[in-house]
Coordinates of all heavy atoms in Angstrom, one line a residue:
D396 N 91.2 -32.0 -65.6 CA 90.4 -30.9 -66.3 C 89.8 -30.0 -65.3 O 89.1 -29.1 -65.6 CB 89.5 -31.5 -67.3 CG 88.5 -32.5 -66.6 OD1 88.9 -33.2 -65.9 OD2 87.3 -32.4 -66.9
E397 N 89.7 -30.4 -64.0 CA 89.1 -29.5 -63.0 C 90.1 -28.6 -62.4 O 91.1 -29.0 -61.6 CB 88.6 -30.5 -61.9 CG 87.3 -31.2 -62.2 CD 86.0 -30.4 -62.2 OE1 85.9 -29.4 -61.6 OE2 85.2 -30.8 -63.1
P398 N 90.1 -27.3 -62.7 CA 91.2 -26.4 -62.4 C 91.3 -26.3 -60.8 O 92.5 -26.2 -60.4 CB 90.7 -25.0 -62.9 CG 89.7 -25.3 -64.0 CD 89.0 -26.7 -63.6
A399 N 90.3 -26.3 -60.1 CA 90.5 -26.1 -58.6 C 91.1 -27.4 -58.0 O 92.0 -27.3 -57.1 CB 89.1 -25.9 -57.9
L400 N 90.8 -28.6 -58.5 CA 91.4 -29.8 -58.0 C 92.8 -29.9 -58.4 O 93.7 -30.3 -57.8 CB 90.5 -31.0 -58.4 CG 91.1 -32.4 -58.0 CD1 91.3 -32.6 -56.6 CD2 90.3 -33.4 -58.6
S401 N 93.0 -29.5 -59.7 CA 94.3 -29.5 -60.3 C 95.3 -28.7 -59.5 O 96.4 -29.1 -59.2 CB 94.3 -29.0 -61.7 OG 95.6 -29.1 -62.4
M402 N 94.9 -27.4 -59.1 CA 95.8 -26.6 -58.4 C 95.9 -27.2 -57.0 O 97.2 -27.0 -56.5 CB 94.9 -25.3 -58.2 CG 95.7 -24.2 -57.5 SD 94.9 -22.6 -57.4 CE 94.7 -22.2 -59.1
A403 N 94.9 -27.7 -56.3 CA 95.2 -28.2 -55.0 C 96.3 -29.3 -54.9 O 97.1 -29.5 -54.2 CB 93.9 -28.8 -54.4
V404 N 96.2 -30.3 -56.0 CA 96.9 -31.5 -56.1 C 98.4 -30.9 -56.5 O 99.3 -31.4 -55.8 CB 96.5 -32.5 -57.2 CG1 97.5 -33.5 -57.6 CG2 95.2 -33.0 -56.7
A405 N 98.5 -29.9 -57.3 CA 99.9 -29.5 -57.7 C 100.5 -28.9 -56.6 O 101.8 -29.1 -56.3 CB 99.6 -28.6 -58.9
E406 N 99.7 -28.1 -55.8 CA 100.4 -27.4 -54.7 C 100.7 -28.2 -53.6 O 101.9 -28.2 -52.9 CB 99.5 -26.2 -54.2 CG 99.3 -25.1 -55.1 CD 98.4 -23.9 -54.5 OE1 98.3 -24.0 -53.3 OE2 98.2 -23.0 -55.2
A407 N 100.0 -29.4 -53.3 CA 100.3 -30.3 -52.4 C 101.6 -31.1 -52.8 O 102.5 -31.3 -51.9 CB 99.2 -31.3 -52.1
L408 N 101.8 -31.5 -54.0 CA 103.0 -32.1 -54.6 C 104.2 -31.1 -54.5 O 105.3 -31.6 -54.1 CB 102.7 -32.6 -56.0 CG 101.7 -33.8 -56.0 CD1 101.5 -34.0 -57.7 CD2 102.2 -35.1 -55.6
A409 N 104.0 -29.9 -54.7 CA 105.1 -28.9 -54.7 C 105.6 -28.8 -53.2 O 106.7 -28.7 -52.9 CB 104.7 -27.5 -55.3
D410 N 104.5 -28.7 -52.3 CA 104.9 -28.6 -50.8 C 105.7 -29.8 -50.5 O 106.5 -29.7 -49.5 CB 103.6 -28.5 -50.0 CG 102.9 -27.2 -50.2 OD1 103.5 -26.2 -50.8 OD2 101.7 -27.1 -49.8
A411 N 105.5 -30.9 -51.1 CA 106.3 -32.2 -50.7 C 107.6 -32.2 -51.3 O 108.4 -33.1 -50.9 CB 105.5 -33.5 -51.0
G412 N 107.9 -31.3 -52.2 CA 109.3 -31.2 -52.8 C 109.3 -31.6 -54.3 O 110.5 -31.6 -54.8
F413 N 108.2 -31.8 -54.9 CA 108.2 -32.1 -56.3 C 108.1 -30.7 -57.2 O 107.8 -29.7 -56.6 CB 107.0 -33.0 -56.8 CG 107.0 -34.3 -56.2 CD1 106.1 -34.7 -55.1 CD2 107.8 -35.3 -56.8 CE1 106.1 -36.0 -54.6 CE2 107.8 -36.5 -56.3 CZ 107.0 -37.0 -55.3
I414 N 108.6 -30.9 -58.4 CA 108.5 -29.8 -59.3 C 107.3 -30.1 -60.1 O 107.3 -31.3 -60.8 CB 109.7 -29.6 -60.3 CG1 110.9 -29.2 -59.3 CG2 109.5 -28.5 -61.3 CD1 112.3 -29.2 -60.0

Side-chain angles (χ1 to χ4, degrees):
D396 64 314
E397 289 283 331
L400 178 58
S401 176
M402 184 182 298
V404 169
E406 291 189 9
L408 292 170
D410 290 346
F413 292 104
I414 298 173

